[in-house]
Amino acid sequence: MIRHVLFIKYKEQATAADIATSMANFEKIKSKIDGIESVEWGLNNSPEGRNKDYTHCVFMTFVDEVARDTYIPHPEHEVLKAQLGPILEDIIVFDYAI
């Protein structure tokens, strides 16, 4: 299995509706691309103040590296990125095998 973790910092002008749409798109992608076992996301609520302005995390689990590697260039992933791109200030992507 592969865990695919995204830490997202949105632009100041990103609206609540824009952010909700991007999170909904992440949730829907599981049903559109084979090999995605789970998708969850959350809003930072750590009291430590060490999130460096990254407000959201998306946590995806792929059945294997092949599934993750299929996801990256997949047309549905490109649709998700097209919506996210204009409202994205920065993103950290971290993958690891479990």
Side-chain angles (χ1 to χ4, degrees), residues 9-20 22 55-56 83-84 86-89:
K9 184 187 307 184
Y10 288 99
K11 291 181 178 177
E12 283 187 33
Q13 64 267 31
T15 66
D18 291 334
I19 294 169
S22 65
T55 56
H56 291 73
Q83 185 274 328
L84 183 62
I87 60 172
L88 185 66
E89 179 69 30

Side-chain angles (χ1 to χ4, degrees), residues 55-76:
T55 56
H56 291 73
C57 177
V58 177
F59 190 84
M60 302 174 76
T61 302
F62 293 89
V63 295
D64 56 24
E65 287 184 28
V66 172
R68 188 261 328 262
D69 295 348
T70 299
Y71 162 79
I72 291 171
H74 196 283
E76 291 294 340

Side-chain angles (χ1 to χ4, degrees), residues 39-51:
V39 177
E40 63 182 78
W41 66 271
L43 182 62
N44 178 58
N45 68 359
S46 173
E48 294 181 278
R50 299 181 57 86
N51 59 304

